[in-house]
Amino acid sequence: MLNSRYRVCELFGIPIYVNLSFLILLLLFMSDFGSFSLGLAAAFVLAISVTLHELGHALTAQAFGYRTKDITLSLLGGCASLIALPRKAWQELLTAAAGPLVSFALAGIVLLLDVLGVRVANIWLRNVLNYMFWVNVMLGTFNLLPGFPMDGGRIFRSAMRAFMSRAQATFIAMWVGRIVAILLGLRGLWSIVNGGGWGFVSIMIAWMIWQEGWREYMVARMEADFRHWTQEDFNAKVSPPPYERS
């Protein structure tokens, strides 16, 4: 049931879906506030911030000619499903960096309002804006961790491609990401042991990094092998075997 998702809107021609597991994440954020109305507003800010973060990826990829199938919000955050990933290293770097940059920009807007002396008299609204600042700082910073295939891991891979092939860079990024995954998993266990409510989320993110990094490495290897196939290789590996009469 938690794998079910529902379309909520469309932005810039990109369908936005919410996975039912995202409700768990919203409930965790809401539980951190003493007021239900403040917790609900914080959950709404989180959903908007994650959506804009993913739109940063999607619209940057679109500028390079790569379309996005949809964006899905889930327990593990957000995911922009690109129909095809940017092939050039610098395009991948900019596409990966766009999400954190959007998050930092949203935090910067709130900070700029404070620097300019824009005072919000309403304490409730002031708390919501304060939360908006910190949640976007957190989103931007966390996604820059080199936990491939997270944003930071993709930035790391694109930088490594200046020195080696895509498959080799993916292999190194995958193992750097797995180190990050182990650390996140250990942190999650420590949090659970000490009564923290976020521990299982860290463990699930660690598992996602471990699994998806390997999957992307296998795809990169297949792409590298495919480029060296002859027509005979293609016929042998892709075409169905001939029908033999008995």
Side-chain angles (χ1 to χ4, degrees):
M1 181 178 179
L2 287 180
N3 289 327
S4 301
R5 64 175 192 163
Y6 299 91
R7 180 167 173 164
V8 293
C9 65
E10 181 176 305
L11 297 172
F12 301 99
I14 302 171
I16 310 296
Y17 290 87
V18 172
N19 187 290
L20 283 182
S21 65
F22 190 67
L23 298 177
I24 298 175
L25 187 62
L26 296 182
L27 289 173
L28 283 171
F29 270 81
M30 289 173 63
S31 66
D32 287 342
F33 295 85
S35 164
F36 175 80
S37 62
L38 185 59
L40 189 62
F44 180 76
V45 167
L46 171 65
I48 294 298
S49 298
V50 172
T51 301
L52 293 177
H53 178 105
E54 295 303 323
L55 275 175
H57 295 309
L59 295 180
T60 303
Q62 185 173 298
F64 298 132
Y66 299 92
R67 294 191 298 114
T68 300
K69 180 182 178 183
D70 55 50
I71 291 174
T72 301
L73 308 183
S74 70
L75 175 61
L76 300 181
C79 177
S81 300
L82 301 182
I83 294 176
L85 292 173
R87 307 306 301 168
K88 296 179 180 178
W90 66 272
Q91 291 178 343
E92 180 183 31
L93 188 150
L94 291 178
T95 300
L101 286 175
V102 168
S103 297
F104 290 136
L106 291 172
I109 291 172
V110 178
L111 184 62
L112 182 62
L113 291 175
D114 185 63
V115 171
L116 293 177
V118 178
R119 301 300 176 189
V120 179
N122 187 286
I123 297 178
W124 183 89
L125 183 57
R126 192 187 312 160
N127 287 333
V128 171
L129 289 174
N130 184 60
Y131 175 77
M132 180 178 176
F133 171 80
W134 285 111
V135 77
N136 280 285
V137 168
M138 179 199 72
L139 277 173
T141 303
F142 181 76
N143 277 279
L144 286 178
L145 291 176
F148 184 79
M150 291 172 58
D151 300 341
R154 293 192 183 280
I155 292 171
F156 175 73
R157 179 176 72 169
S158 64
M160 294 298 292
R161 285 176 62 188
F163 309 100
M164 59 191 71
S165 69
R166 180 183 175 88
Q168 291 171 326
T170 304
F171 179 78
I172 294 176
M174 176 194 71
W175 278 107
V176 171
R178 287 191 162 187
I179 293 172
V180 174
I182 291 171
L183 294 175
L184 278 175
L186 292 174
R187 182 189 180 280
L189 288 174
W190 181 87
S191 179
I192 290 174
V193 170
N194 289 274
W198 289 90
F200 81 96
V201 176
S202 295
I203 292 174
M204 291 184 67
I205 292 175
W207 177 248
M208 180 274 293
I209 292 172
W210 189 278
Q211 290 287 93
E212 291 300 309
W214 172 256
R215 187 185 65 81
E216 293 225 11
Y217 169 61
M218 295 306 295
V219 170
R221 275 192 57 185
M222 289 174 60
E223 290 175 345
D225 293 341
F226 183 77
R227 282 196 294 271
H228 296 93
W229 280 7
T230 63
Q231 185 61 46
E232 289 75 16
D233 293 330
F234 184 84
N235 291 336
K237 296 183 180 184
V238 176
S239 300
Y243 176 76
E244 295 183 2
R245 296 180 183 272
S246 57

